[in-house]
Amino acid sequence: MKILRVDMSQNQIREETVPAAYERLGGRALIAKILLEEVPPTCDALGPHNKLIFAPGLLAGSGVTTAGRLSIGGKSPLTRGAKEANAGGTAGDVLGKLGFKAVVVEGQPSKGDFYILYIDGDEAEILPADDLVGLGTYETSDQLQEKYGSDSTVISIGQAGEGCMGGAGICVTGEGGQRSNYAARGGLGAVMGSKGLKAVVIDKPVGKAVPLADAEKFRTAARTFAQKLINDPKLGTKGSQHLYGTASIVAAVNEIGSLPTRNFSAGNFEGMEKLRGEHLREVTLSRGGEAGTRCMPGCVIACRNVYVDESGKPIVGTLQYETIALLGSNLGLGSLDEVALLNRMCNDFGLDTIETGAALGVAIEAGLADFGDFASIRGLLEQVGKGTVLGRLIGNGAVATGRVLGVRRVPAAVGQGMPGYDPRSLKGNGVTYATSPQGADHTAGNAFGARKEVNPLGVEGQKELSLKLQIIAAMLDSTGLCLFARPPIIAEPQLMVDLVNGRYGWDWTVEDYNRFNRDVLRTELEFNRRAGLTAADYRIPEFMREEPLPPHAATFDIPDSDLDSVFEAL
Amino acid sequence: MKILRVDMSQNQIREETVPAAYERLGGRALIAKILLEEVPPTCDALGPHNKLIFAPGLLAGSGVTTAGRLSIGGKSPLTRGAKEANAGGTAGDVLGKLGFKAVVVEGQPSKGDFYILYIDGDEAEILPADDLVGLGTYETSDQLQEKYGSDSTVISIGQAGEGCMGGAGICVTGEGGQRSNYAARGGLGAVMGSKGLKAVVIDKPVGKAVPLADAEKFRTAARTFAQKLINDPKLGTKGSQHLYGTASIVAAVNEIGSLPTRNFSAGNFEGMEKLRGEHLREVTLSRGGEAGTRCMPGCVIACRNVYVDESGKPIVGTLQYETIALLGSNLGLGSLDEVALLNRMCNDFGLDTIETGAALGVAIEAGLADFGDFASIRGLLEQVGKGTVLGRLIGNGAVATGRVLGVRRVPAAVGQGMPGYDPRSLKGNGVTYATSPQGADHTAGNAFGARKEVNPLGVEGQKELSLKLQIIAAMLDSTGLCLFARPPIIAEPQLMVDLVNGRYGWDWTVEDYNRFNRDVLRTELEFNRRAGLTAADYRIPEFMREEPLPPHAATFDIPDSDLDSVFEAL
């Protein structure tokens, strides 16, 4: 395997054999290690010393179901710490098949020019992107696929990333003209913009396959893994995840009183019925849209959808839970059509819907629009594409928006806007938001699925739960696996060990695998420590610790001592 | 002596005898101690748990020349750490005479209402300020002095403070209708705004004097001190400080190549001649303005001026060096009239001219106005008074402006805009900016005066110089003395010891006094540490460490190890 080093200061590319220290790492684990080894932790996240790292997971390209997620990372302009966000689409798979352990983008052009990185098999080059500057991700992907082939993979940023806005994510295309896969969180689109990189285009590798050291062991494990997912009552073809997508949890999050509503001022939303996954499926199918589609080739869960308007024309694919919570109930909007339109705008500008939804909620609280008033909210969001000062403010996310507009009720932790679970009534997620080296992420250690095991309103057991989930998340993000694929691995860790050993011929034991997963967190925490983050940065905002959240009048009351000791057991 | 506790949550006032731990502290020293003892260090600086502390120095009200500066402090919304800023005017003197060790404003009204704190001798009350909301500091001071007497002291905020903008300072009136004394730095005006406190009005105390424990010792020391200032060649009536004010250094700062020019992109300004103190005096006197006026009763230095327009009408009093640097050369403006007009706008909105000048420089770099183009710059600044999103951005200071507008060249340290000395060619100031618990302040340890002893471009001796100056600054800020009054105290520390012992009957030795001064820094550093500040927060921005500054092609090259070890000798 190899690493591609792309130097945007010198306009040079070189291929590197994988150093020993990186050999057994992939995805998020590799990103954390490269950051710690190579990036000055206190550097300007948008300056030349940061690196933007594309790293497929350990199992990328091998055909294991759900294992094609592409991890993208760097020092985050929002959290100031280590960041990894991952996306579906075809990028993880093709980079894996091409034998790339990572593509590391370094430096920064001296002028504000933009470029494309074009990868064709073993060749790579940096090309001018003048004609793409200012375009959204849809048009960028369309133009590039028209030029390089509809089966090529395009990784791109929109206006938000070009403008180095902290809420910018990175878009990855999927099979068959599919769009809307985002490595959304932490402002990595701004890092890509700061590198002058408008897009990466990867030609479809023909006839390439990853070598399997022990094909039989690998294939047995891969089959078992896929079968277990298919047999899982939630994930299989009759499961809610497949039928209703991630939106299947809208009603359940609302039921526990944790659905962000009007800038996190309530945990129930009166318009919830029209936002839930069941309604989403009904509307989608009745209009000729699609449900149960895939973000990655070969995924057996297939939780995506293509949401269409009344005439059957696609608005966005896919409409997901976090987006529905942050751009829906959090803004007082109870219409999927409205949420989908805002979602499409975010996708096009290349904005994280979570960060942007949180920022819009804060802006509405400051009086710049009205909760529930689609037209005024759309008007705000349009500003991002126009690059106005107001647009740049929203595009920079919740914390910047709150600071400039003088709003104290900012739902964020470690500088990053919170996803769709109010931590006051889902305290396990609060512990994760307040301790994860990744900040407030929905995938860093999400306790929602464990709400029946650990009382979401109680203090007891939350820190242990969060740590357990954070370790699992680190593993998934490092192998390229989807978060939803975790049940079989949790039930039988040997399955993952067999997959990895079968793929690489290593002699990992379950203990090695456990250490590997924990090391991801340790490495990230150490980078963050060196970057200057302290307990003070990892806290739930004051208002959530003091303002009771209806309907349970819950505050975030996990003691600081619990938060400070989460990683003692690491 | 006593402490006045003003609870804005409960609308209650109570008087408290001074706790033993606070007894021997004043001004900045007392603020640091109250913060450490009473304010949760990680609290929201604009929330109810922060405190706004008005603390006259130890010698306030005693008639010692220059000792009437009022320290104002709290947790800074810009630095996140301990903040003290002090202002001339009559407030320090009258609070000292009334026996107030401190006025501590706590809590926060539940609605966004504004109030006045009215102090009349031993009585104090909280009154509604509805009729003052939205007014600038000139009109606010005028209306309140009309109501409460032209000899009352008014401490107020303008639109910036009301709007909780991080660049907001606090205005203090002086004798004879004098305006324009500012505790400008660190966003304390925003803290005052967050408390719902529009103004403090203090009736002139009649016939009140501070008791002197050893009147003879005190008076001898006070006379000697004043005489030494009068005899000082720089400070006396023939000295440059008196004749030309703080602007006397414009040419000298330009000469060493440290004059901030066009957002800190050069250290020389071609229009410098028209900004220097000599020219300021000439213009002022030729138009019938005033030079050599006082900010505090009894000051023998008298470095102020009243800058007037061509018709002799006052624009601003006083026009000072830092303002000329930040709103003048830093914006490419070479006209004192233009600088004075911007200065007046800042004064009226209640904005720190340093922070705002730095923010405007960053905004110009982002293309929102043009260097040297007064009309476009004034247009930007006007937005602050209007409270638009753009105005709120500028009003929130350099770091917020840079972040939202995507500008990496932000002249700031510890979250605060830099004063009028580019640290690349005055490295002692760079060490202070990068290590002082107060962040980038012009008064926290200013090495400009020592430029002939320590080469401003060299690395050698800077950290020792900065520490020495930081300790002296802490002393001055804690006794109420002006920065310019330091030479006699540095030459003869016993003078300060005699003043304090004569005033209070203490038995301080020079060693006690040394420990006291160092303890101020220790206390602030500890508060900041608990607030989560680390070495990563205390750094000079990346661009200044890499981008050579003309004319010396200087970068900020003091090694981190020097910065990290400044306080080892504390």
Side-chain angles (χ1 to χ4, degrees):
Chain A
M1 298 191 74
K2 58 202 176 185
I3 290 177
L4 195 70
R5 297 275 180 177
V6 183
D7 181 344
M8 300 303 292
S9 298
Q10 307 293 326
N11 218 307
Q12 281 175 357
I13 298 179
R14 71 186 162 82
E15 228 177 75
E16 177 183 85
T17 51
V18 178
Y22 299 166
E23 215 168 67
R24 296 203 167 190
L25 305 174
R28 177 171 162 188
L30 180 57
I31 286 167
K33 188 73 171 177
I34 292 176
L35 286 173
L36 193 66
E37 296 285 324
E38 303 183 16
V39 173
T42 60
C43 76
D44 183 342
L46 301 177
H49 306 298
N50 196 5
K51 300 192 179 185
L52 182 70
I53 304 153
F54 299 90
L58 282 176
L59 297 174
S62 67
V64 173
T65 187
T66 92
R69 296 189 70 82
L70 175 68
S71 286
I72 308 181
K75 174 175 165 142
S76 164
L78 291 181
T79 69
R80 298 192 297 148
K83 193 72 214 168
E84 183 265 1
N86 58 69
T90 46
D93 189 63
V94 299
L95 285 172
K97 288 202 167 99
L98 289 171
F100 285 112
K101 193 91 175 159
V103 176
V104 183
V105 184
E106 313 183 344
Q108 181 162 79
S110 55
K111 284 182 295 175
D113 294 331
F114 280 92
Y115 299 89
I116 295 162
L117 171 65
Y118 175 57
I119 300 174
D120 176 16
D122 290 335
E123 303 296 314
E125 52 186 326
I126 300 171
L127 303 167
D130 303 339
D131 50 336
L132 298 173
V133 171
L135 297 183
T137 65
Y138 288 103
E139 185 65 24
T140 300
S141 304
D142 289 351
Q143 288 199 17
L144 289 170
Q145 287 194 334
E146 190 165 325
K147 184 165 180 183
Y148 294 100
S150 61
D151 57 358
S152 63
T153 298
V154 177
I155 304 170
S156 69
I157 55 173
Q159 296 91 340
E162 283 184 32
C164 293
M165 302 183 205
I170 297 171
C171 176
V172 179
T173 60
E175 286 180 304
Q178 188 229 74
R179 300 284 178 262
S180 308
N181 304 286
Y182 281 84
R185 307 240 59 202
L188 292 168
V191 178
M192 188 157 159
S194 77
K195 302 288 177 209
L197 190 62
K198 176 69 180 172
V200 180
V201 181
I202 312 162
D203 258 9
K204 188 181 168 104
V206 179
K208 296 252 186 184
V210 301
L212 297 175
D214 183 339
E216 197 187 322
K217 178 187 278 180
F218 178 85
R219 291 207 179 103
T220 307
R223 260 196 307 270
T224 309
F225 175 56
Q227 200 54 53
K228 282 181 185 251
L229 288 177
I230 292 167
N231 295 344
D232 187 290
K234 265 197 208 157
L235 304 174
T237 48
K238 289 179 184 161
S240 57
Q241 195 77 13
H242 175 70
L243 293 173
Y244 311 121
T246 57
S248 64
I249 64 172
V250 170
V253 180
N254 188 70
E255 194 184 318
I256 65 166
S258 189
L259 185 67
T261 301
R262 297 184 189 85
N263 192 30
F264 288 73
S265 64
N268 288 150
F269 180 51
E270 71 283 359
M272 180 279 294
E273 286 294 336
K274 291 284 166 82
L275 294 180
R276 54 193 291 188
E278 294 80 351
H279 183 67
L280 170 61
R281 181 180 173 88
E282 195 185 302
V283 171
T284 302
L285 295 182
S286 74
R287 291 175 175 177
E290 296 176 65
T293 60
R294 293 170 174 74
C295 78
M296 293 181 290
C299 172
V300 298
I301 303 175
C303 67
R304 272 173 78 99
N305 55 63
V306 179
Y307 190 82
V308 296
D309 66 14
E310 289 187 343
S311 71
K313 198 179 138 210
I315 304 177
V316 74
T318 172
L319 191 52
Q320 301 265 3
Y321 171 72
E322 305 297 336
T323 302
I324 291 171
L326 272 297
L327 292 175
S329 53
N330 186 50
L331 307 183
L333 295 175
S335 151
L336 285 174
D337 284 352
E338 291 173 356
V339 175
L341 287 167
L342 297 178
N343 190 353
R344 186 178 175 93
M345 289 168 71
C346 285
N347 284 359
D348 199 31
F349 300 153
L351 282 172
D352 176 8
T353 56
I354 296 176
E355 193 65 50
T356 307
L360 287 168
V362 170
I364 294 172
E365 177 147 337
L368 298 190
D370 294 306
F371 286 118
D373 178 33
F374 175 67
S376 67
I377 296 168
R378 182 180 53 192
L380 271 186
L381 186 53
E382 277 169 352
Q383 301 296 314
V384 182
K386 294 179 182 163
T388 63
V389 170
L390 172 57
R392 290 198 60 95
L393 184 64
I394 303 291
N396 267 288
V399 169
T401 300
R403 177 171 174 179
V404 169
L405 300 181
V407 174
R408 288 186 59 236
R409 299 183 71 266
V410 177
V414 204
Q416 203 179 236
M418 285 182 185
Y421 317 84
D422 195 305
R424 286 168 284 188
S425 40
L426 183 58
K427 293 188 183 167
N429 275 24
V431 175
T432 297
Y433 301 165
T435 62
S436 162
Q438 297 285 337
D441 267 5
H442 58 302
T443 58
N446 196 328
F448 179 70
R451 68 195 176 282
K452 283 169 188 160
E453 295 134 51
V454 178
N455 173 13
L457 291 166
V459 168
E460 203 67 30
Q462 304 292 6
K463 75 171 192 172
E464 295 80 6
L465 175 64
S466 171
L467 178 60
K468 190 182 87 177
L469 294 167
Q470 290 193 51
I471 294 169
I472 294 166
M475 174 272 288
L476 296 164
D477 296 341
S478 302
T479 50
L481 250 61
C482 171
L483 185 64
F484 301 135
R486 63 186 173 181
I489 308 290
I490 295 172
E492 194 186 337
Q494 185 64 40
L495 210 48
M496 175 59 75
V497 173
D498 285 350
L499 285 168
V500 171
N501 286 348
R503 161 76 178 86
Y504 293 99
W506 300 342
D507 51 1
W508 264 16
T509 61
V510 169
E511 286 66 44
D512 295 329
Y513 153 85
N514 280 334
R515 202 191 41 217
F516 171 92
N517 299 337
R518 289 162 185 262
D519 273 350
V520 179
L521 293 170
R522 284 193 196 103
T523 307
E524 291 173 343
L525 288 166
E526 178 58 17
F527 181 84
N528 287 7
R529 191 191 67 74
R530 294 185 194 175
L533 271 73
T534 69
D537 297 290
Y538 288 102
R539 287 282 186 263
I540 294 298
E542 200 168 278
F543 87 90
M544 288 182 168
R545 286 182 274 135
E546 300 179 351
E547 182 189 295
L549 179 73
H552 299 297
T555 58
F556 187 74
D557 55 359
I558 303 283
D560 285 354
S561 56
D562 274 24
L563 301 176
D564 292 340
S565 60
V566 161
F567 294 115
E568 276 174 12
L570 190 64
Chain B
M1 299 191 74
K2 60 203 175 185
I3 290 178
L4 196 68
R5 297 276 180 176
V6 182
D7 181 343
M8 300 303 292
S9 297
Q10 307 292 328
N11 218 306
Q12 281 175 355
I13 297 180
R14 70 187 164 83
E15 227 177 78
E16 174 183 87
T17 52
V18 178
Y22 298 165
E23 215 169 68
R24 296 203 168 190
L25 305 174
R28 178 173 162 187
L30 180 57
I31 286 166
K33 188 73 171 177
I34 291 176
L35 285 173
L36 193 65
E37 296 284 325
E38 303 183 16
V39 173
T42 60
C43 76
D44 182 342
L46 302 176
H49 305 298
N50 197 3
K51 300 192 178 186
L52 182 71
I53 304 154
F54 301 90
L58 281 176
L59 297 174
S62 68
V64 174
T65 188
T66 92
R69 295 188 71 81
L70 175 68
S71 286
I72 308 180
K75 173 174 167 144
S76 164
L78 290 181
T79 69
R80 298 192 297 149
K83 193 70 214 168
E84 182 265 1
N86 58 68
T90 45
D93 189 63
V94 300
L95 286 173
K97 289 203 168 100
L98 289 171
F100 285 111
K101 194 92 176 160
V103 176
V104 183
V105 183
E106 312 183 343
Q108 180 162 78
S110 54
K111 284 181 295 176
D113 294 332
F114 280 92
Y115 299 88
I116 296 162
L117 171 65
Y118 175 57
I119 300 174
D120 176 16
D122 290 335
E123 303 297 313
E125 53 186 326
I126 300 171
L127 303 167
D130 303 337
D131 50 334
L132 299 171
V133 171
L135 297 183
T137 66
Y138 288 103
E139 186 65 27
T140 300
S141 303
D142 289 351
Q143 287 198 17
L144 289 170
Q145 287 194 333
E146 190 166 322
K147 183 165 179 184
Y148 294 100
S150 61
D151 57 358
S152 62
T153 298
V154 176
I155 305 170
S156 69
I157 54 173
Q159 296 91 340
E162 282 183 33
C164 293
M165 301 183 205
I170 297 172
C171 176
V172 180
T173 60
E175 286 181 305
Q178 188 230 74
R179 300 285 179 260
S180 309
N181 304 287
Y182 281 83
R185 308 239 59 202
L188 293 169
V191 178
M192 189 158 158
S194 77
K195 302 287 177 210
L197 190 63
K198 176 68 181 173
V200 180
V201 181
I202 312 162
D203 258 8
K204 187 181 168 105
V206 179
K208 297 253 186 185
V210 301
L212 296 174
D214 183 339
E216 199 186 321
K217 179 186 279 182
F218 178 84
R219 290 204 179 102
T220 307
R223 260 196 308 271
T224 309
F225 175 57
Q227 200 54 54
K228 280 178 187 254
L229 288 177
I230 292 166
N231 294 345
D232 186 290
K234 265 197 209 157
L235 303 174
T237 49
K238 288 179 184 161
S240 57
Q241 194 77 14
H242 174 70
L243 292 173
Y244 311 121
T246 55
S248 65
I249 64 172
V250 169
V253 179
N254 188 70
E255 195 184 317
I256 65 166
S258 189
L259 186 66
T261 300
R262 297 184 189 85
N263 193 29
F264 288 72
S265 64
N268 288 151
F269 180 53
E270 71 283 359
M272 180 278 295
E273 286 295 336
K274 291 285 166 80
L275 293 181
R276 54 192 292 189
E278 295 80 349
H279 183 68
L280 169 61
R281 181 179 173 88
E282 197 186 301
V283 172
T284 303
L285 295 181
S286 75
R287 291 174 175 179
E290 296 175 66
T293 60
R294 293 171 175 76
C295 77
M296 292 181 289
C299 172
V300 299
I301 304 174
C303 68
R304 273 173 77 99
N305 55 63
V306 179
Y307 190 83
V308 296
D309 66 14
E310 288 187 343
S311 72
K313 199 181 137 206
I315 304 177
V316 74
T318 169
L319 190 53
Q320 301 266 2
Y321 171 72
E322 305 297 336
T323 302
I324 290 170
L326 272 296
L327 292 176
S329 52
N330 185 52
L331 307 184
L333 295 175
S335 152
L336 285 174
D337 284 353
E338 292 172 356
V339 175
L341 287 167
L342 297 179
N343 191 351
R344 186 179 175 92
M345 289 168 72
C346 285
N347 285 358
D348 199 30
F349 299 154
L351 282 172
D352 176 9
T353 56
I354 297 176
E355 192 66 50
T356 308
L360 287 168
V362 170
I364 294 172
E365 178 148 337
L368 298 190
D370 294 306
F371 286 118
D373 177 32
F374 175 68
S376 67
I377 295 168
R378 183 180 52 191
L380 271 187
L381 185 53
E382 277 168 352
Q383 302 296 315
V384 182
K386 293 178 182 163
T388 62
V389 170
L390 172 57
R392 291 197 59 96
L393 183 65
I394 304 291
N396 267 288
V399 170
T401 300
R403 177 171 174 178
V404 169
L405 299 182
V407 174
R408 287 187 58 236
R409 298 183 71 266
V410 177
V414 205
Q416 202 179 236
M418 285 183 185
Y421 318 83
D422 195 303
R424 285 168 285 187
S425 40
L426 184 58
K427 294 188 183 169
N429 276 24
V431 176
T432 297
Y433 301 166
T435 63
S436 162
Q438 297 286 335
D441 267 5
H442 57 302
T443 58
N446 195 327
F448 179 71
R451 69 194 176 282
K452 284 169 187 159
E453 295 134 51
V454 178
N455 173 13
L457 291 166
V459 168
E460 203 67 30
Q462 303 292 6
K463 75 172 194 172
E464 294 80 7
L465 174 63
S466 172
L467 177 60
K468 192 182 86 176
L469 294 167
Q470 289 194 51
I471 295 169
I472 294 165
M475 175 272 288
L476 296 164
D477 295 341
S478 303
T479 50
L481 250 61
C482 171
L483 184 65
F484 301 134
R486 63 187 173 182
I489 308 290
I490 295 171
E492 195 185 336
Q494 186 64 40
L495 211 47
M496 177 57 78
V497 173
D498 286 349
L499 285 169
V500 172
N501 287 346
R503 162 74 178 86
Y504 293 99
W506 300 342
D507 50 1
W508 263 15
T509 62
V510 170
E511 286 67 43
D512 294 329
Y513 153 86
N514 281 333
R515 203 192 41 223
F516 171 91
N517 299 338
R518 288 162 186 263
D519 273 349
V520 178
L521 293 170
R522 285 194 196 102
T523 308
E524 290 173 343
L525 289 166
E526 178 59 17
F527 181 84
N528 288 7
R529 190 189 66 74
R530 295 185 194 175
L533 271 74
T534 70
D537 298 289
Y538 289 101
R539 287 283 186 262
I540 296 297
E542 199 167 280
F543 86 91
M544 288 183 168
R545 287 182 274 135
E546 300 179 350
E547 181 190 295
L549 180 73
H552 299 297
T555 57
F556 187 74
D557 55 359
I558 304 282
D560 285 354
S561 56
D562 275 24
L563 301 176
D564 291 341
S565 61
V566 162
F567 294 115
E568 276 174 11
L570 189 65

